[in-house]
Structures are given as C-alpha cells and as structure tokens.
Amino acid sequence: MPRLGVAGNLQSMLRRRWIVIATLVWTPLLSCDRGQPRAVIGVVFGSPEAVRVAQAVIAETAQEGEPVILLQHDQRATPSPDLTFRRAEWVLALPDLVAVVGHEASGSSLTAAALYHDAGVPLIVPTATTPLLKGKPGVFPLAPNDSLQGAFLAQFAAHQLDASRASVFFVTDEYGYGLRRGVVEEFVRLGVEVIDEVPINTSSNVDAMAAASLARGKPDVIVAAARYPEVWDLARAVQARARDVRILAGDGADQMPDALQRAGAAADSVYLSVFWHPDVADSSGLVFIHRFRLLTGRQPSAVDALVYDAIMVTVAAIRAVGPDRRRVTRYLERLGVGRPGYEGVTGEIDFRPMRSRPILMIQSHQEETHVVYQP
C-alpha cells in the first residue's frame, strides 16, 4: 500500500466519487461508471470518525481500473442478540457486499459470525477479544484475546507492582467472564493469592460493593474485568477507602476523555491495557493521527486505530484479488503464511493462530494518558 501524504483537504476527499458512507440507508453513487465493478464493505461498528478517515484514504489512493470500494456504516449499539441478528441481516442484504467489519463486542461478534459464514462473507473483527472467535472459518479478529490480555494484566500486577494479593471484579457477560478467567489462571500460575471475586453489572452499586470487598480483605491490586463506566466508578470508590490499592483493567474501559473526567483524581490509580496508543505510533501511525485530528479535533483511541486497520486490510485484499468473497477470504488467511503481513497502524497484521499482537499498559497523568509499560 503506498505511503500517504498528510496534505490535502479531507473534506473535499469525502465528496469524491470513489466512496460513499451511509448509516442504515443505501445511497448509490450516481457518478459511478455503471460498468465499473463495485465492492461493498459493511461496517457494523461505532467509531464513525475512524470510518470517515478510512473513507478519505480510500478516495485518495484509488487507482484507475480498480473496483469502486464503498463503505456502508451501521453504528447502532448492540444491546441484544435480536438487534445483532437484524444488523447482520441488514448488511447481508447490501448489493455487492464483499466483507464485513464488526461487531463491537465479543457476544455480538459470536452471534453474527454464523450468519456471515453461512453467506460466505468474511468477517474482520476489530476489537472483540473472546477466544471463541479463534479458528472460526472466515472470521479474522485483530485484537489479542481475553486469555492473552488477562495474562498480561496478571503479569504486570505481579512483576511491575509486586502484588501478592488481588481481588477481581468482573461483569457477567462474555467479556467479563473471559478476561476474569485469563487473569485468575495467570495469578494461580504466578502464586498471587486471589482473595475476592465480585460479579458486577451496569445496575450494580459499585461503591457499596467496593466497600464490602475491602472489608473482607485488602488486596494489593484490584483487577476489573469490566468496561466504562464501572471501572472508573470502582476506582473512585476504592480510592476513597484505600488510596494505595491500584486498579488494573482491560481494553473495555478505554473511553477517553470521559473516563478521566468521571474518575477525577482517582484516575491516576488506574492502569489500563490497550492494543495501541499514539505514544508508540510509527510513521504510518503518525500520518493516521494527523489525519484523524484534522478531521475530528481529537486524538484517536486504540478502538479508532483498530477499526481503521480492519477496514484498510480489507481494502488491501479487495484491491489485490478483486471483489470476490472467496478470494478476499483466502487473501486474509494467507497473510503471514506465504504472503507478507499487512503493515497497519496498530502493527503488522496477519491471522495466524499463534501470531503475537501488541498489548500496552497506559496510565493517566495530568488528564492525559501515556504508555508506562511495553513488553
């Protein structure tokens, strides 16, 4: 893929004829040559800013004779399996569909994967971390799974924070159970005592549950296999009672800057594992950051970078082999196996079973986050 310059008016790029983005409504390209092949990528995810940046880059790098690549974007939340099915059915009905990027969560990705597989549509999953996606035909997860992330959190607690006692809070869904399992298994291996395990959900009184857990025993660290806002409410509750206890959490809690504002002074007690951060950006990452900030006025998050990479590796596949579902699937399967990996913003991308993807530890300081540990 050619290196991209940072100059140019991104807004004008969005009006070029090569690409269109829509939310829930199919909008045809009136200016396209009717004889030119088209390839639709269904993006079933939030992060509209990352989609807009990808849209601009696709427009800028389009070559004569290539398929016209269209992004169709459904950014609704997925609170139930029923809505997940409806979203999958919507995207599968799109004309010229070649691949899907999504869904947001582990549970919704697992639910939808079977539908896409039956239709022969490859699914590129930016952020879902369940190990159950591993090895599913036609499914290509970018993020490290819960077992790897859980082991990373436990190792950081033991080796970097010298923790010997830990409590674990976890949400009662696929993400929480999976991350908790990875953390606890690694704590057992490392000889760290788990003194309390506390299930929580979005309606829990986190303050009361934190107080009760600390009364049962004070740990060196609390690992929160949870999301925003529960992790940050937990940090505030713990810091009010035990200022020396540190909170470790996974990627699901990464919602900046809202998280830092919600936790207030307690935010500095939280260590967060993420899969990318602007601090570690290489040259292509710096270009992405520049484009993203020009378009949105803010720094990109790890989720933004992963969504962008998921779209762009799919674009690379379509440009290499054409708008054919089977060929695109085969192209993605062979990345790193007889074909070089794709150089993405978040690192080299391939989908080998034993591949290694980066996990970083970040911490807030003066209302900003920075990488504090990189294996």
Side-chain angles (χ1 to χ4, degrees), residues 52-131:
R52 290 166 61 199
V53 174
Q55 168 182 283
V57 173
I58 295 168
E60 184 182 272
T61 58
Q63 301 292 321
E64 289 295 333
E66 290 180 346
V68 177
I69 298 176
L70 316 177
L71 302 185
Q72 289 291 302
H73 187 203
D74 177 355
Q75 58 179 303
R76 293 174 293 178
T78 311
S80 68
D82 182 58
L83 181 54
T84 296
F85 276 113
R86 292 204 300 271
R87 295 177 83 189
E89 289 170 349
W90 172 81
V91 76
L92 285 170
L94 294 173
D96 304 311
L97 180 70
V98 174
V100 175
V101 171
H103 290 221
E104 296 96 336
S106 293
S108 57
S109 296
L110 283 169
T111 299
L115 293 177
Y116 299 131
H117 177 262
D118 289 346
V121 176
L123 174 64
I124 300 85
V125 186
T127 60
T129 54
T130 173

Side-chain angles (χ1 to χ4, degrees), residues 165-315:
R165 289 160 53 90
S167 295
V168 179
F169 283 63
F170 61 97
V171 289
T172 53
D173 62 12
E174 181 65 38
Y175 174 73
Y177 288 130
L179 191 56
R180 166 196 172 227
R181 187 182 308 113
V183 168
V184 172
E185 287 177 355
E186 188 66 9
F187 273 150
V188 170
R189 191 186 73 82
L190 295 170
V192 175
E193 181 185 5
V194 178
I195 64 172
D196 201 12
E197 295 188 59
V198 183
I200 59 174
N201 55 52
T202 54
S203 62
S204 295
N205 184 335
V206 174
D207 187 79
M209 298 178 85
S213 178
L214 289 169
R216 289 190 290 270
K218 181 183 173 184
D220 300 314
V221 298
I222 293 175
V223 179
R227 302 182 180 86
Y228 175 90
E230 291 83 18
V231 167
W232 305 94
D233 292 345
L234 176 64
R236 198 168 52 194
V238 170
Q239 283 294 289
R241 297 169 174 86
R243 294 189 60 82
D244 57 335
V245 174
R246 293 294 173 258
I247 311 296
L248 278 63
D251 64 296
D254 182 15
Q255 187 166 324
M256 307 299 173
D258 296 348
L260 301 183
Q261 295 168 358
R262 189 176 186 100
D268 291 355
S269 69
V270 178
Y271 292 88
L272 204 64
S273 65
V274 296
F275 307 137
W276 180 82
H277 191 276
D279 281 0
V280 300
D282 60 10
S283 57
S284 63
L286 292 174
V287 172
F288 169 70
I289 292 168
H290 183 82
R291 287 180 174 276
F292 195 95
R293 293 188 69 175
L294 279 178
L295 197 61
T296 70
R298 67 171 177 86
Q299 285 276 75
S301 68
V303 170
D304 295 319
L306 286 164
V307 171
Y308 175 83
D309 270 356
I311 293 171
M312 295 311 296
V313 72
T314 308
V315 169

